Amino acid sequence: MKYIIAIGIFQALLAAVLLLRSRYRKNADDLLISLVVCIGLHLSIKFFIFTFVEDQQVLNMMNTFIGFCYIPLLYLYTLKTIRPEFVTASKWYLFIPFIIGAIGYFSTVCVLSVTSPKAYLVLYWYNTISLYTLLPLDIIFSCGIIYLAMNKLPRNSQEKKLVVQLASLFLCVGVLGVLFVIFNSFFDSSNYLCRSIIYTLLIVITIRIINYKYGAVTGTEMLLSSGNYNGDEITTEMEPSSVSNFVLDPIENIQREEKEASLPQKRKEILSQSEMFKILLRLEKAMEKEQYYVDSELTLDKLAKLTNVNKYHISETLNHFVNKSFYTFINEYRIEYVKEKLKSLSEKNSSITILELAYESGFNSKSSFNRYFKDITTYTPREYLNLIAAEVLTT
């Protein structure tokens, strides 16, 4: 079991680092970071107990209190994703069970450390109360989060899929806990088996979060296509004066997409995960520092020369490690640039022309800008600007 826990700690740490380094991190992602940090802390405490504690009753009964914050964090993430202006601190009371559990946990640890005659009785009551409180909360609120996500989040959005899948995994944890309580009195080995499965599910949760932000393939290599966008064109309400000044160039877009599709999809010598990760970090550093994405004529060949990285290695890293085409990778930076400009100009109460910002960020096609903005943010540019304006007014 210690090996499973150690893997979980590593995955949680990796997920936290990747989320912190994400170049287009949303405010809601801070809650995901908190979630994976809590998972890592939970597993770290368990690793310490299973490594250094020899008392069998403590090993079998010492539940940690951190599980009480998983569902509240996921619920707050769901609300923040639905309404970016939502203030998470307004729901502080969701963490009351977590606070009470922490008090009970450390009180039990203190009693056990002084070898009190009633230590095991205190441990029994702590374990019983925490377990029978946590399991119903997990099951009920996981179902509630799934219902909320299915009805409130945009259809087919990545955030919706993430929330539903994470809530489903936590629901599985709750159901497994109930089964453990039922069968524990009949099978002595059920304790070990159930805990192993639950820790494995926590690992799956961290991997899913990594996959959501980076599309990384953990444990296996996945050969994917460059992912040309085939969805319907997305239009957005723009200022009439600005629309007339925006130059459309659909022919150039088609040529770029055809060129992108012609890039090799599979090579005989696939780079290792660590090699692709290093290339990704190098690309991100170059894009953030030099802002190559503002060049509307940026191509794979040009980026390869600018970064001194083989163009096939760039293509392979983007396609296989982060599951993105080259232009998706570049346009994410452009969209983030526009978002930051919109927020900055709104805070200064300056006049805003969305299409000028699209040009400035490197786009030269209205349809491409609209499409990528909607795909990445789940909002049209005008909807996002209204959200920012509302947030500025509340602050």
Side-chain angles (χ1 to χ4, degrees):
M1 187 186 296
K2 287 194 293 185
Y3 293 108
I4 296 175
I5 295 174
I7 293 172
I9 295 171
F10 171 76
Q11 290 290 347
L13 178 62
L14 178 62
V17 171
L18 292 179
L19 285 168
L20 285 168
R21 289 184 56 86
S22 177
R23 64 191 176 278
Y24 50 96
R25 194 174 83 204
K26 305 174 185 177
N27 290 334
D29 290 342
D30 292 338
L31 295 164
L32 285 183
I33 296 173
S34 300
L35 178 59
V36 296
V37 168
C38 287
I39 291 176
L41 184 58
H42 180 177
L43 295 177
S44 298
I45 293 174
K46 283 297 182 182
F47 186 83
F48 177 85
I49 291 174
F50 283 110
T51 303
F52 299 103
V53 176
E54 297 179 356
D55 191 317
Q56 196 61 38
Q57 293 209 50
V58 174
L59 292 176
N60 291 335
M61 299 177 64
M62 195 66 183
N63 294 325
T64 56
F65 60 95
I66 300 176
F68 283 105
C69 69
Y70 292 155
I71 294 300
L73 287 171
L74 182 58
Y75 175 65
L76 291 176
Y77 173 78
T78 306
L79 293 180
K80 190 71 174 177
T81 303
I82 295 171
R83 293 187 291 117
E85 72 277 8
F86 170 71
V87 179
T88 55
S90 63
K91 299 286 186 181
W92 62 269
Y93 52 84
L94 294 173
F95 294 94
I96 291 177
F98 169 75
I99 296 171
I100 296 175
I103 295 172
Y105 180 85
F106 289 111
S107 298
T108 304
V109 170
C110 292
V111 173
L112 289 171
S113 63
V114 297
T115 62
S116 170
K118 296 184 178 180
Y120 290 133
L121 181 62
V122 173
L123 175 61
Y124 168 79
W125 282 112
Y126 164 76
N127 183 77
T128 302
I129 295 173
S130 62
L131 185 63
Y132 285 95
T133 303
L134 179 62
L135 294 180
L137 289 177
D138 275 0
I139 294 174
I140 294 171
F141 280 95
S142 294
C143 294
I145 291 171
I146 293 173
Y147 177 81
L148 183 65
M150 294 295 292
N151 288 278
K152 296 297 184 179
L153 288 175
R155 185 180 179 183
N156 296 327
S157 69
Q158 291 299 317
E159 289 79 6
K160 180 176 183 178
K161 294 177 182 178
L162 176 70
V163 169
V164 171
Q165 291 171 5
L166 294 186
S168 299
L169 288 169
F170 281 121
L171 179 61
C172 290
V173 171
V175 172
L176 281 173
V178 172
L179 294 176
F180 161 70
V181 171
I182 295 173
F183 292 105
N184 188 43
S185 57
F186 299 100
F187 304 99
D188 294 336
S189 61
S190 62
N191 189 331
Y192 180 89
L193 177 62
C194 184
R195 289 178 184 272
S196 298
I197 296 175
I198 289 175
Y199 298 150
T200 302
L201 288 176
L202 292 179
I203 295 174
V204 174
I205 288 170
T206 59
I207 293 174
R208 179 62 185 93
I209 293 173
I210 295 174
N211 180 263
Y212 161 67
K213 294 306 293 185
Y214 276 82
V217 181
T218 306
T220 58
E221 289 186 341
M222 206 174 179
L223 303 181
L224 301 168
S225 65
S226 60
N228 288 337
Y229 188 90
N230 293 321
D232 297 332
E233 283 290 323
I234 296 174
T235 60
T236 183
E237 181 185 356
M238 294 289 182
E239 300 174 16
S241 61
S242 301
V243 175
S244 62
N245 295 328
F246 201 93
V247 179
L248 301 178
D249 195 3
I251 296 177
E252 183 177 353
N253 279 346
I254 294 173
Q255 291 174 344
R256 284 187 171 184
E257 291 178 357
E258 290 176 348
K259 184 175 182 179
E260 183 180 349
S262 66
L263 293 175
Q265 302 299 310
K266 183 176 180 179
R267 290 168 50 81
K268 293 182 179 179
E269 295 182 0
I270 301 297
L271 295 171
S272 68
Q273 292 286 315
S274 61
E275 289 173 325
M276 288 190 284
F277 184 66
K278 290 178 181 178
I279 292 175
L280 177 63
L281 293 180
R282 187 170 180 178
L283 291 175
E284 289 182 340
K285 184 177 180 180
M287 298 296 284
E288 291 168 1
K289 184 177 180 180
E290 305 297 337
Q291 293 187 324
Y292 293 135
Y293 53 86
V294 298
D295 180 4
S296 61
E297 302 300 323
L298 184 65
T299 62
L300 180 61
D301 288 332
K302 184 180 291 187
L303 181 62
K305 292 179 180 178
L306 290 170
T307 58
N308 197 27
V309 178
N310 185 287
K311 69 175 183 178
Y312 297 110
H313 291 176
I314 294 177
S315 177
E316 191 171 288
T317 297
L318 296 179
N319 291 336
H320 301 162
F321 191 70
V322 295
N323 188 21
K324 294 174 185 174
S325 65
F326 170 74
Y327 284 108
T328 296
F329 177 76
I330 299 301
N331 286 332
E332 283 177 346
Y333 279 100
R334 292 170 175 167
I335 295 300
E336 186 62 25
Y337 177 89
V338 172
K339 287 170 59 181
E340 291 178 357
K341 286 289 186 178
L342 287 174
K343 185 174 182 179
S344 175
L345 292 173
S346 296
E347 291 174 347
K348 296 176 182 178
N349 200 25
S350 303
S351 60
I352 299 175
T353 306
I354 296 177
L355 298 182
E356 289 182 2
L357 294 179
Y359 273 131
E360 187 179 318
S361 68
F363 283 101
N364 53 15
S365 166
K366 181 188 75 171
S367 60
S368 179
F369 169 66
N370 292 343
R371 182 179 67 191
Y372 278 105
F373 197 99
K374 177 75 173 180
D375 188 41
I376 293 171
T377 68
T378 70
Y379 299 102
T380 65
R382 180 62 56 189
E383 290 171 345
Y384 186 82
L385 179 59
N386 292 337
L387 287 173
I388 293 296
E391 186 176 347
V392 170
L393 289 175
T394 57
T395 57

